[in-house]
Amino acid sequence: MRKFSFSFVFTVIALLWQFSYGIQIPTDRLKTSEIEQELYDLINRERTKRGIHPLELSQRLKILARNHSQDMAVQPELTHDSHDGKSFSQRLQEAGMYFKETGENVAFSESFLPEAIHHSFMRSNGHRENILDPRFDAIGIGVFFKENKGYYITQDFIASLVAKPEEEFREMLEKQINARRIQKGLLPVPFLEELNTLAHEFSWKKAKGETLPDLPDRYGEILYMIITTPLLMIDDTDMERIIHPSTTHAGIGIYFDREEKNPGGTYFISFLLLRKSASPDMSPDEIRLRLADEINSHMAEKVNIFKGKAIALSPQLNDYQVIPYNTTNPLRIPASVKVKLNFIRHRKIGIGIVPEEKSEASSQKYWVVLLFY
């Protein structure tokens, strides 16, 4: 979230304004509510004549702006922070408001003329940028008059963020994912209700800073991804990982909350992606070659694959490295094994894969032995 925030102090001499612009100065002082309304109208006229959508007048933002103008009147100088040190963003959070972008104009004027105040804002680059920023869609304006001094003005802008219901957002993402898969010549991936429920738990715990649950073994290999974004979209890099050809089933969980880098609100989106496992109709040689390809993709230098089904170590072969491990998916390399591959010195490999006896209560497991020599 980017915040545009600027301070500027101006004093308007009413007589000079009348001579320069030919405007008749009212003899009766305007009410602060009348100044607020006229400033709002002037801002929307500026936006409309430039083809920028008008701003909605937010009552909640108006209250925040009025409170801040009154707060500035008791402080030694104009500021975007309240007397207790709270920023505009923090005040918005306390008010329970969600937002994608924020901007705030603050000023002091000896004149009560809205045209004069608005003209001074428009002559300041920072204030002008906020007034004409097309990202903003809501505004609150607060004016406070301090006797024997003048007018304190606050204009609060936001780009509103309204959380989309989880079910609706999930359906939208599912359609986007499968549309991208079809574009790449891949079959649509089914989304499992059980995985959606588990993914929601991941998102909720991530948002609350709690320990994430363990991934179930019964599915075999699962890739877990977490994305936080205030936008209803997934960037291309993350989307490519999600639609990878090896994904067979998926689950999506969404939870809306705040986080430090997105205090205005963000979606915590968890993806659980089931990866291809060895199927019963694959031969041991096919599994072995597929695993060798995976190994080579993680090695700095490629290794030569031993083509036989077994290796008989000769008495002279005394320099070798062995990595054994147990897995539910022999087509993928566990993270701990990937680390060990970084330290392999040898350029030849033999692979042994033996399935364990499968029980009804658990997934098929395999013993894998990698022999580098």
Side-chain angles (χ1 to χ4, degrees):
M1 180 199 70
R2 291 188 299 161
K3 176 179 178 181
F4 292 88
S5 180
F6 306 86
S7 295
F8 183 75
V9 181
F10 61 84
T11 301
V12 178
I13 302 176
L15 189 58
L16 178 60
W17 182 260
Q18 182 179 17
F19 288 159
S20 300
Y21 295 95
I23 296 175
Q24 183 62 41
I25 305 299
T27 54
D28 295 329
R29 194 176 75 205
L30 294 177
K31 296 179 181 178
T32 54
S33 60
E34 294 174 323
I35 299 173
E36 291 168 356
Q37 183 61 48
E38 291 200 33
L39 286 175
Y40 171 66
D41 293 338
L42 288 165
I43 286 173
N44 275 341
R45 278 183 221 150
E46 294 283 3
R47 292 172 68 93
T48 301
K49 71 183 180 182
R50 291 169 174 80
I52 306 170
H53 60 83
L55 297 170
E56 177 186 349
L57 185 59
S58 165
Q59 293 302 315
R60 296 170 75 185
L61 284 176
K62 179 189 285 189
I63 292 172
L64 288 179
R66 283 178 173 176
N67 289 343
H68 187 61
S69 291
Q70 186 172 359
D71 188 281
M72 286 193 296
V74 298
Q75 297 199 60
E77 59 184 5
L78 292 181
T79 175
H80 293 286
D81 293 336
S82 54
H83 69 278
D84 55 2
K86 291 175 182 172
S87 66
F88 176 37
S89 174
Q90 290 171 318
R91 296 193 295 272
L92 284 169
Q93 292 175 62
E94 283 192 348
M97 300 188 71
Y98 295 102
F99 50 89
K100 291 178 282 190
E101 305 285 347
T102 67
E104 183 173 74
N105 292 343
V106 296
F108 170 80
S109 174
E110 292 178 351
S111 167
F112 59 82
L113 292 177
E115 293 87 352
I117 296 170
H118 177 72
H119 181 73
S120 296
F121 273 135
M122 291 299 292
R123 291 181 62 184
S124 164
N125 289 337
H127 295 95
R128 179 188 176 93
E129 285 179 18
N130 278 338
I131 289 171
L132 300 179
D133 194 325
R135 296 173 304 172
F136 296 142
D137 55 24
I139 186 174
I141 301 174
V143 179
F144 179 77
F145 176 69
K146 187 172 184 179
E147 202 68 43
N148 300 322
K149 194 163 186 183
Y151 296 84
Y152 292 85
I153 303 105
T154 301
Q155 296 175 341
D156 284 340
F157 305 82
I158 66 167
S160 306
L161 177 57
V162 180
K164 187 179 286 289
E166 178 177 3
E167 198 65 36
E168 184 179 344
F169 192 8
R170 182 191 295 119
E171 289 179 6
M172 184 185 78
L173 287 177
E174 289 176 1
K175 290 177 181 178
Q176 289 179 358
I177 290 168
N178 279 331
R180 289 286 289 272
R181 286 180 65 88
I182 292 170
Q183 286 177 1
K184 289 183 171 290
L186 302 171
L187 292 174
V189 64
F191 292 85
L192 304 181
E193 189 60 37
E194 184 178 3
L195 286 179
N196 287 341
T197 301
L198 181 60
H200 175 84
E201 184 181 0
F202 271 78
S203 292
W204 184 85
K205 287 185 176 293
K206 183 69 175 179
K208 301 304 179 183
E210 297 186 10
T211 302
L212 300 181
D214 294 329
L215 291 169
D217 292 332
R218 62 184 176 278
Y219 289 114
E221 183 185 359
I222 301 180
L223 173 64
Y224 167 61
M225 288 178 57
I226 178 70
I227 297 171
T228 58
T229 174
L231 307 176
L232 297 173
M233 60 181 295
I234 305 297
D235 67 37
D236 287 340
T237 301
D238 288 328
M239 183 62 79
E240 287 300 313
R241 295 179 63 199
I242 294 167
I243 65 171
H244 194 277
S246 63
T247 300
T248 61
H249 299 79
I252 301 175
I254 302 164
Y255 187 78
F256 186 82
D257 206 337
R258 302 183 195 269
E259 64 171 346
E260 186 176 353
K261 68 177 182 180
N262 289 306
T266 192
Y267 296 95
F268 292 80
I269 311 171
S270 291
F271 294 92
L272 296 179
L273 308 171
L274 270 60
R275 299 302 201 181
K276 287 181 181 176
S277 296
S279 60
D281 58 346
M282 290 179 68
S283 69
D285 280 344
E286 186 178 359
I287 295 175
R288 191 179 296 114
L289 290 172
R290 290 273 298 276
L291 179 58
D293 288 339
E294 285 290 312
I295 292 171
N296 269 329
S297 70
H298 291 280
M299 299 283 286
E301 295 182 48
K302 304 301 182 186
V303 296
N304 296 318
I305 307 164
F306 183 78
K307 300 297 184 183
K309 296 182 180 179
I311 298 177
L313 299 181
S314 69
Q316 290 77 29
L317 186 60
N318 54 17
D319 184 17
Y320 56 89
Q321 292 172 271
V322 177
I323 303 177
Y325 60 91
N326 192 251
T327 179
T328 57
N329 185 2
L331 301 184
R332 293 287 177 264
I333 309 168
S336 58
V337 175
K338 290 179 181 178
V339 174
K340 294 178 181 178
L341 293 179
N342 296 327
F343 301 96
I344 296 299
R345 305 183 307 275
H346 304 289
R347 301 273 64 84
K348 293 183 180 180
I349 183 175
I351 301 174
I353 301 174
V354 179
E356 288 185 353
E357 185 173 338
K358 186 178 183 302
S359 66
E360 294 182 0
S362 62
S363 302
Q364 177 69 66
K365 290 189 176 182
Y366 300 80
W367 275 106
V368 179
V369 177
L370 306 180
L371 172 63
F372 296 88
Y373 63 102

